[in-house]
Amino acid sequence: MRIAMKHKYSKYLNGLGLLFVVWSINFSGLNKHYFSAKPGGDPEERILARVDSVMEMMTLEEKIGQMTLFTSDWDVTGPTIRATYKEDIRAGKVGAIFNAHTAAYNRELQRVAVEETRLGIPLLFGYDVIHGYKTIFPVPLGEAASWDLEAIEKSARVSAVEAAAAGLHWTFAPMVDIARDPRWGRIMEGAGEDTYLGSLIAQARVKGFQGDDLGAVNTVVACAKHYAAYGAALAGRDYSTVDMSERMLREIYLPPFKAALDAGCGTFMTSFNELDGVPATANKFLLDEILRKEWHFPGFVVTDYTSIDEMINHGYAADQRQAAEQALDAGVDMDMQSAAYYNHLEDLVKSGDVQEEQIDQAVQRILRMKFLLGLFDDPYKYSDEARQKRELLSPEHLEASRDVARKSIVLLKNERGTLPLNRDIRKLAVIGPLADNHQDMIGAWSGAGDAKDVTTLLQGLRNVVGQRVVYAMGCEADQDNRDGFAQAINLAQSADAIVLAIGEKAYMSGEAASRSDITLPGPQLELAQRLKETGKPLIIVLMNGRPLAIPWLAEHADAIVETWFLGTQAGPAIADVLFGDYNPSGRLPVTFPRSVGQVPLFYNMKNTGRPMDPNNKYTSKYLDIPNTPLYPFGFGLSYTTFSYGDPRVSRTTMQAKGSITASVEITNTGKLAGTETVQWYIRDLVGSVTRPVRELKHFERVHLQPGESRQVSFEITLNDLKFYDKDLHYKAEPGDFQVFVGPDASTERSVKFTLN
Ligand code: NOJ
């Protein structure tokens, strides 16, 4: 058999007229043959020639195998399990596996693919490395609050180093869905509500995962998901339908995907939702017209979990066969877990309902990725146990996690300098269901992260002030039981200050975790109210994967520190902030509403024809609540204070081909060094279609010593003024603009200019 294959190869190679080098590697005593193209020339062409050399030998069944992705039975992330995946690998009927990890486990699966299948095509291993593999970083929404692109890239880099050391090639991240509805649990997995910030973060994450070279042993392929508009699920209910104008799609929801693509993102995942009546997984407009024809995406498209099958439930396909045909026709290259391609593609080709060329194209894209990863050169390069041991939870990775974690913390309130705490504090009462909970602090969807590796808030504080920290849980976050109140209140009465860790359980955000009520669950608010009655300074440490409606806390707590779910180093990072070893610098990447009734509430809204006027009944407002958020997008305090001068522009008119510079002086007016995130927003005052009241266009993190001033500037170019006009052309229209600068989206400091 092997000899016959050798002959077949040589014949093919001669026919191709290219000079290939045939070499063989010995894996566990078995010979397998791979081809490397002659060095030199265009690298992409070399790869494609190698892909062709493999495809030439493949049967239709083997090709369909490459288009099939199954979960292992290990770490299942969806409703269906195929128990036969190992036999499928052996039969060459599956080309990629997810939810299988660790160097040894994946080496064995790879061995079966490489040594026991006819062609020995290596498997691709995918996994949801969402905010870390073993060293867990803050949940993505939390990390976005750092507004620190370098730190975010570093987090993805470390995650890739660990994942790649544990046998993985591919992460189903970043999630780049814009989310404007905090009821949607998956808001936790993205970068928040803003398209500009979200696009920059998407790029940082892709760069971090993929590095400069996909073939390096410490990088993984990224997957931009969920394409597209998944974050706009109706009523914030997961998997729900989406219907929106093409303008909104292009303006708000698509740019982070394009940004990910521009950063080289190797794969895209279709979303579960339908868009304008057509499920994303069969949506030619999204997959073919935009992704392939307009954006020229060279990578491959995978579906989300069973989403080909789900087109039957959507009412778009009568049966699985039709769903498979529709997905392929729209441009889906790989089927995750539906087994729809596996079951029907062969027959669909035979009956002439799909063309084999469509299959060839998908297989070419998938094999190209395997070549780029270097899997044909060494299928085991990602299965090195010594490297795995060295990399996972290394001191350097833990330090990186702590660094990102403290940068992700947002100080929402700090009355009368309650924080930072004095290290000489006599007694500190740490209370709350989340204070010592490893499982919650690690956050939802924490890869292979182990809750036992988390240093909790309680431990983090004890590391600083030892047994002067006393602790009581008080209550659970999801149980209606107040039995622990008395002990907690007693403890609080004897202490100098209370740190109350409350919020959501980790499972309350993420996939399939929408909430209709975004207040504090369980008896937690009541516990806070009772503790407030003690008269002791009440410091709230919030942990949550979405904005929460917390008006009572905003009014009555002495300090509020938003910590999201910070991962492995949560405790030390929060302690760094509470004791002032790190001056908080995080900014909200998403608006915090006063009540769920205001939702969706986001800063870049339109003005309406009747903008809110408190003295005029017939204007756009509620009877029972202000229009304003509890905390606006971009908001976050520091232990120091900053003042802004009046913004200026270098010229008041801008030519289309030129630029103007807006600038402002920032001064640190407090007593500590600190970082201010200077935010620039633009409003187009009159357009051929109406424009939002402001849009973030630039920001800069500026570190200033006490008393130090700095001139901060923003060079405005035509690109910053463009939008989809009434004919959906992306361009800037001459006219008047207003540029705002300030510490958050509610700033009124602005200056005008005119585009000629
Ligand atoms: C379903 C989720 O929507 C997606 O984000 C994830 O990557 C897959 N399951 C695989 O676990």
Side-chain angles (χ1 to χ4, degrees):
M1 170 65 176
R2 269 189 197 100
I3 295 168
M5 274 171 64
K6 236 182 204 168
H7 283 309
K8 202 198 290 176
Y9 290 178
S10 332
K11 197 168 125 219
Y12 166 67
L13 293 171
N14 292 339
L16 193 70
L18 279 171
L19 178 60
F20 283 82
V21 183
V22 182
W23 55 289
S24 72
I25 315 170
N26 192 297
F27 296 117
S28 324
L30 286 168
N31 285 316
K32 278 288 165 190
H33 302 275
Y34 300 96
F35 299 97
S36 64
K38 187 184 167 190
D42 177 36
E44 179 69 13
E45 273 177 25
R46 279 208 325 266
I47 294 264
L48 291 180
R50 295 183 77 186
V51 169
D52 285 348
S53 76
V54 176
M55 284 181 60
E56 183 75 8
M57 298 179 293
M58 293 172 80
T59 62
L60 178 59
E61 197 186 21
E62 285 162 341
K63 287 178 187 170
I64 295 165
Q66 291 303 307
M67 299 166 71
T68 298
L69 167 65
F70 286 147
T71 179
S72 84
D73 50 8
W74 187 347
D75 217 356
V76 176
T77 51
T80 325
I81 306 174
R82 282 189 61 83
T84 55
Y85 73 99
K86 284 186 188 154
E87 290 79 76
D88 288 328
I89 295 173
R90 197 163 281 118
K93 290 172 95 173
V94 54
I97 292 287
F98 69 118
N99 292 334
H101 51 109
T102 70
Y105 190 82
N106 286 9
R107 171 178 280 272
E108 171 53 16
L109 295 183
Q110 192 69 298
R111 190 197 61 73
V112 176
V114 169
E115 297 185 8
E116 296 185 24
T117 66
R118 194 179 74 90
L119 292 180
I121 298 175
L123 291 167
L124 183 69
F125 292 114
Y127 193 53
D128 290 284
V129 183
I130 307 292
H131 52 115
Y133 174 73
K134 195 57 111 175
T135 300
I136 303 303
F137 285 79
V139 292
L141 183 66
E143 212 174 71
S146 71
W147 294 51
D148 186 331
L149 301 172
E150 253 176 63
I152 291 171
E153 181 174 336
K154 172 85 182 178
S155 150
R157 185 86 286 283
V158 168
S159 306
V161 167
E162 292 198 355
L168 293 164
H169 312 136
W170 182 24
T171 173
F172 302 135
M175 183 185 105
V176 303
D177 296 315
I178 295 299
R180 293 170 149 188
D181 192 329
R183 291 173 296 183
W184 191 51
R186 304 199 79 170
I187 197 169
M188 174 283 276
E189 288 172 57
E193 76 187 34
D194 186 60
T195 303
Y196 174 74
L197 180 63
S199 299
L200 293 176
I201 291 177
Q203 292 198 314
R205 289 189 167 136
V206 170
K207 282 195 231 156
F209 286 131
Q210 298 195 164
D212 299 329
D213 175 13
L214 272 185
V217 289
N218 60 4
T219 57
V220 293
V221 188
C223 182
K225 71 186 190 185
H226 307 81
Y227 188 70
Y230 183 41
L234 199 65
R237 187 159 43 78
D238 208 3
Y239 317 123
S240 190
T241 54
V242 178
D243 201 342
M244 66 170 64
S245 69
E246 184 177 340
R247 173 171 295 102
M248 181 179 288
L249 177 74
R250 287 185 180 272
E251 198 164 289
I252 306 295
Y253 290 88
L254 290 187
F257 287 97
K258 178 64 164 51
L261 188 154
D262 290 343
C265 187
T267 68
F268 267 49
M269 184 187 292
T270 64
S271 52
F272 285 126
N273 56 285
E274 64 165 67
L275 178 66
D276 200 7
V278 181
T281 299
N283 199 307
K284 271 194 144 169
F285 170 64
L286 285 175
L287 295 171
D288 194 46
E289 273 182 50
I290 295 184
L291 186 58
R292 296 291 181 194
K293 301 212 170 93
E294 220 178 289
W295 295 354
H296 307 290
F297 176 55
F300 74 80
V301 174
V302 64
T303 70
D304 202 345
Y305 206 109
T306 59
S307 55
I308 297 186
D309 259 354
E310 291 170 24
M311 294 203 284
I312 303 168
N313 281 343
H314 277 288
Y316 193 72
D319 51 31
Q320 198 188 47
R321 187 178 191 277
Q322 188 187 12
E325 183 185 343
Q326 289 168 331
L328 184 73
D329 190 47
V332 167
D333 302 306
M334 189 184 279
D335 167 5
M336 182 197 288
Q337 201 60 9
S338 283
Y341 282 1
Y342 177 103
N343 290 333
H344 302 289
L345 276 192
E346 196 166 350
D347 181 52
L348 281 163
V349 172
K350 288 189 178 137
S351 65
D353 291 326
V354 309
Q355 303 304 309
E356 193 161 348
E357 292 79 67
Q358 291 177 275
I359 290 178
D360 285 346
Q361 193 171 45
V363 176
Q364 189 191 51
R365 290 174 184 143
I366 293 162
L367 292 182
R368 172 178 169 271
M369 201 54 70
K370 292 187 176 184
F371 271 105
L372 286 172
L373 283 160
L375 293 174
F376 279 91
D377 300 318
D378 179 357
Y380 302 116
K381 65 194 267 199
Y382 297 83
S383 284
D384 172 343
E385 285 181 78
R387 184 151 51 91
Q388 175 177 280
K389 191 153 186 261
R390 204 168 56 240
E391 298 289 9
L392 303 193
L393 292 170
S394 74
E396 189 209 324
H397 293 177
L398 290 174
E399 193 42 49
S401 168
R402 179 171 178 165
D403 180 57
V404 182
R406 56 192 181 194
K407 286 176 170 160
S408 304
I409 294 172
V410 185
L411 181 65
L412 293 176
K413 184 176 184 191
N414 193 17
E415 292 288 283
R416 301 172 300 279
T418 304
L419 290 174
L421 290 169
N422 192 327
R423 280 187 136 72
D424 297 330
I425 190 162
R426 186 186 52 86
K427 200 188 233 188
L428 180 64
V430 174
I431 296 172
L434 298 166
D436 198 30
N437 191 317
H438 298 73
Q439 196 58 56
D440 287 323
M441 235 163 281
I442 201 170
W445 220 328
S446 44
D450 222 323
K452 72 169 173 32
D453 294 325
V454 171
T455 305
T456 65
L457 171 60
L458 179 64
Q459 193 55 51
L461 294 173
R462 284 203 166 136
N463 290 347
V464 183
V465 287
Q467 295 309 313
R468 283 178 284 143
V469 172
V470 290
Y471 163 70
M473 192 165 84
C475 66
E476 289 281 6
D478 56 356
Q479 282 169 33
D480 195 21
N481 184 337
R482 290 155 183 78
D483 292 351
F485 275 27
Q487 190 205 357
I489 292 161
N490 248 335
L491 218 62
Q493 272 158 346
S494 69
D496 299 334
I498 308 164
V499 168
L500 177 62
I502 49 178
E504 295 181 315
K505 305 283 289 174
Y507 73 77
M508 292 178 180
S509 58
E511 189 180 349
S514 295
R515 294 180 66 208
S516 68
D517 174 0
I518 55 168
T519 60
L520 290 167
Q524 297 181 101
L525 178 59
E526 227 177 291
L527 177 63
Q529 290 168 335
R530 298 290 303 279
L531 289 169
K532 177 72 190 173
E533 288 164 12
T534 64
K536 305 287 173 159
L538 179 62
I539 299 153
I540 304 293
V541 171
L542 280 179
M543 295 182 196
N544 43 287
R546 59 159 57 76
L548 294 178
I550 43 163
W552 188 89
L553 293 181
E555 197 180 334
H556 298 285
D558 296 286
I560 305 178
V561 184
E562 170 59 77
T563 71
W564 321 99
F565 296 112
L566 292 178
T568 312
Q569 290 289 292
I574 302 171
D576 287 342
V577 165
L578 295 187
F579 286 107
D581 295 325
Y582 184 82
N583 188 352
S585 59
R587 299 289 182 266
L588 295 179
V590 63
T591 303
F592 273 44
R594 295 168 190 274
S595 138
V596 76
Q598 293 178 303
V599 165
L601 183 67
F602 45 90
Y603 81 91
N604 45 348
M605 289 204 153
K606 301 285 185 77
N607 203 35
T608 81
R610 294 186 176 194
M612 203 274 292
D613 173 354
N615 302 316
N616 183 346
K617 173 174 166 64
Y618 295 100
T619 59
S620 182
K621 58 181 186 302
Y622 300 101
L623 290 176
D624 53 349
I625 200 169
N627 281 10
T628 52
L630 192 59
Y631 297 111
F633 174 82
F635 180 78
L637 301 171
S638 162
Y639 292 152
T640 189
T641 46
F642 299 96
S643 77
Y644 283 70
D646 290 327
R648 284 192 301 268
V649 279
S650 55
R651 277 189 316 277
T652 50
T653 54
M654 177 177 150
Q655 307 304 324
K657 288 215 170 81
S659 68
I660 58 168
T661 303
S663 55
V664 70
E665 190 176 74
I666 313 290
T667 306
N668 181 342
T669 48
K671 294 195 177 61
L672 290 171
T675 300
E676 170 70 342
T677 301
V678 180
Q679 299 161 39
W680 296 92
Y681 298 84
I682 290 183
R683 175 172 185 178
D684 185 344
L685 294 169
V686 180
S688 62
V689 293
T690 60
R691 305 297 305 140
V693 291
R694 62 191 57 189
E695 291 171 291
L696 182 69
K697 292 292 178 181
H698 183 68
F699 64 88
E700 190 177 335
R701 297 176 82 247
V702 188
H703 190 77
L704 295 176
Q705 296 302 321
E708 188 184 351
S709 295
R710 179 134 5 124
Q711 196 72 17
V712 176
S713 58
F714 165 31
E715 190 190 347
I716 303 170
T717 66
L718 203 65
N719 248 344
D720 300 307
L721 311 180
K722 286 184 178 168
F723 65 98
Y724 289 94
D725 73 2
K726 69 174 189 336
D727 303 315
L728 281 182
H729 294 135
Y730 190 63
K731 59 184 207 195
E733 292 177 346
D736 292 341
F737 292 82
Q738 201 169 0
V739 52
F740 296 82
V741 66
D744 61 61
S746 71
T747 176
E748 287 306 336
R749 236 170 253 106
S750 76
V751 55
K752 284 189 181 164
F753 66 93
T754 305
L755 174 68
N756 273 340

